[in-house]
Amino acid sequence: MSQHTKFVQPNAHYSKLGYQALLALFASGFAGTALADEAQLSGANTAWILSSSALVLLMTLPGLALFYGGLVRSKNVLSILMQCFSIAAIASVLWFVVGYSIAFDTGNGFIGGLGKAFLASIGRDSVSGDIPEPLFMLFQMTFAIITPALIIGGFAERMRFSAVLMFSSAWLLLVYAPITHWVWGGGWLAELGLYDFAGGTVVHITAGVAALVAAKVLGPRKGFLNSAIMPHNLTMTVTGAGMLWVGWFGFNGGSALGANGTAAMAILATHLAASMGAITWAGIEWYKFGKASALGIVTGMVAGLGTITPASGYVGPAGALVIGFLGGVVCFFSTVYIKQKLKIDDSLDVFPVHGVGGILGTLLAGVFSSTQLGIFSGYGFASVNHTMLDQLGAQAIGVIATFTYTAIVTWLLFVVIGKILGGLRVSTEQEVNGLDLSEHEETGYSL
């Protein structure tokens, strides 16, 4: 396993408790009686990951909720907020019950075991590296919350609430948790030497591909093919975007799992890429249309953030600037192509921004991590024997495997859930009236 990998294997000697651990857990009344590891806790690192966990949760609630809520029409704003809050709650419980164990317990190269289900063998004194393992679990939980929440943008304004909950729950356990194990849990991509510092494959490619599949399976919103569907509250969107930008410091900086130079450089790289992505997107709009828009500059910021995420701990600040620029350019034209040429209603541009950004950033991590690029140099490859071509090969395999597995399992989930519920989509009348009323009997605004 690479020295750069985000995952630190905690309490390996408990990894095969399996079913016996679950019995012991219930017998002990959920006491969590794990023995303490000999490693010493770092107060500084613990404080930083506590703060980072709060920052990453802020990204979903209220950051993503406001960002997405402002982008839909007023008759659907509450449905977006409701979906974000519900996913946060359900993902948290599922991560505790079994998701964390699937991702981070020792199993095989493809999936973890059940030794950490219900946090069996993990108590207050358990450690992961030099931070408490319950904190490591909590930090990872915030990632498990935001990833399925990102997918909302692919089916916004037309998917039944029951289908959203069922899909998000199953997707977390069958897509997100296994791929997390591949990359950060000591799985086969970690052994391959894949660079993914904070979630280019685990978060952005999985969410982006799932949103693209959702958009294709459900079809476009009513009126999408005839006219532009405009955001109802850009003030809300810009507010949410600001929270995402700040929260991303915990997302990427916290992935160093310590208050150290790697965290500092990751945050600097993150900020520069976000700034460059925002400038680039707004600049393209200004050149093409004569004006720069608020929607454009915040979308460019998110594109820069998504693109730098997998590379943030491996590249220098100048390399981050280039990655942010390329993220702004490539994601801008991907958005135009998918919406205008392919006519795919990925309602809130999840795939062209997060999916394409994650793919691009994962590949560029294999380039700008090189120590031989002068001012653009990074911090080296996963192995001293690796060349840039070797690392690019590992990055490409990670992208292809994540894309393919996510697309297939996501499609199967939609097919199965559609049959169970008798359909994924609300009726035409319900869609016209808005999901706030039809699904929740509420309205976002009172006249």
Side-chain angles (χ1 to χ4, degrees):
M1 193 184 309
S2 164
Q3 63 176 329
H4 302 283
T5 187
K6 177 178 180 177
F7 171 68
V8 177
Q9 176 70 34
N11 294 337
H13 55 289
Y14 291 113
S15 60
K16 296 183 180 179
L17 288 177
Y19 181 67
Q20 292 179 347
L22 290 179
L23 292 178
L25 172 67
F26 286 101
S28 63
F30 296 86
T33 57
L35 297 176
D37 199 290
E38 293 181 358
Q40 295 295 312
L41 287 178
S42 166
N45 292 345
T46 298
W48 169 234
I49 305 306
L50 283 167
S51 301
S52 295
S53 300
L55 285 170
V56 182
L57 182 60
L58 176 75
M59 291 174 66
T60 305
L61 301 174
L64 186 69
L66 293 175
F67 185 81
Y68 276 178
L71 290 175
V72 298
R73 290 165 291 188
S74 59
K75 61 184 179 182
N76 295 310
V77 59
L78 284 182
S79 72
I80 296 296
L81 303 183
M82 182 66 172
Q83 288 168 20
C84 285
F85 268 80
S86 300
I87 288 172
I90 291 173
S92 299
V93 174
L94 289 176
W95 192 248
F96 161 71
V97 171
V98 73
Y100 175 68
S101 192
I102 292 173
F104 290 104
D105 188 29
T106 300
N108 54 47
F110 295 93
I111 194 166
L114 295 178
K116 297 182 186 297
F118 293 96
L119 298 195
S121 78
I122 299 172
R124 186 180 64 180
D125 297 325
S126 302
V127 298
S128 173
D130 60 3
I131 65 174
E133 187 172 358
L135 174 57
F136 177 77
M137 179 269 188
L138 175 66
F139 179 65
Q140 294 296 336
M141 179 190 287
T142 61
F143 283 68
I145 288 170
I146 195 170
T147 308
L150 287 170
I151 305 170
I152 291 171
F155 51 69
E157 303 193 288
R158 59 200 187 276
M159 191 165 169
R160 296 168 63 185
F161 185 57
S162 57
V164 172
L165 299 184
M166 188 177 293
F167 168 77
S168 299
S169 301
W171 190 90
L172 176 72
L173 298 180
L174 297 179
V175 177
Y176 179 80
I179 292 179
T180 300
H181 183 75
W182 296 0
V183 179
W184 294 333
W188 71 279
L189 286 178
E191 294 296 332
L192 189 66
L194 174 72
Y195 272 4
D196 186 355
F197 191 74
T201 53
V202 175
V203 176
H204 295 291
I205 295 178
T206 59
V209 171
L212 182 65
V213 173
K216 289 292 292 180
V217 170
L218 271 78
R221 293 167 289 177
K222 301 299 180 185
F224 170 77
L225 298 176
N226 301 322
S227 60
I229 298 177
M230 302 303 295
H232 90 280
N233 191 334
L234 281 177
T235 302
M236 181 185 293
T237 295
V238 173
T239 302
M243 293 178 179
L244 286 172
W245 192 337
V246 173
W248 227 292
F249 287 5
F251 196 88
N252 289 357
S255 293
L257 297 179
N260 51 39
T262 301
M265 187 61 77
I267 291 175
L268 176 59
T270 298
H271 187 66
L272 288 173
S275 301
M276 196 65 191
I279 292 169
T280 301
W281 194 296
I284 295 172
E285 282 189 334
W286 208 335
Y287 175 78
K288 288 178 64 70
F289 310 121
K291 291 183 174 65
S293 70
L295 177 59
I297 199 167
V298 298
T299 305
M301 177 270 296
V302 175
L305 289 169
T307 307
I308 194 58
T309 290
S312 55
Y314 310 122
V315 304
L321 211 62
V322 176
I323 290 173
F325 169 76
L326 293 174
V329 172
V330 174
C331 293
F332 176 89
F333 287 104
S334 296
T335 301
V336 172
Y337 182 74
I338 288 171
K339 272 194 171 350
Q340 298 183 6
K341 300 296 183 182
L342 299 182
K343 304 295 184 183
I344 297 174
D345 188 13
D346 180 357
S347 314
L348 309 181
D349 302 324
V350 187
F351 179 73
V353 174
H354 294 276
V356 172
I359 292 169
L360 179 63
T362 301
L363 295 175
L364 291 178
V367 175
F368 288 99
S369 56
S370 171
T371 57
Q372 300 176 341
L373 296 177
I375 190 175
F376 302 103
S377 288
Y379 298 95
F381 296 124
S383 167
V384 293
N385 297 318
H386 272 197
T387 65
M388 184 185 294
L389 189 60
D390 293 330
Q391 192 64 48
L392 274 172
Q395 302 302 107
I397 290 171
V399 167
I400 293 168
T402 302
F403 192 110
T404 304
Y405 179 82
T406 301
I408 292 172
V409 178
T410 300
W411 179 79
L412 288 173
L413 284 175
F414 278 127
V415 171
V416 171
I417 292 170
K419 290 186 179 298
I420 292 173
L421 297 179
L424 297 167
R425 187 165 177 159
V426 298
S427 68
T428 300
E429 180 182 0
Q430 290 173 322
E431 185 175 344
V432 170
N433 291 334
L435 272 62
D436 288 0
L437 279 174
S438 64
E439 294 288 285
H440 306 295
E441 284 294 334
E442 297 175 300
T443 58
Y445 305 97
S446 299
L447 297 178

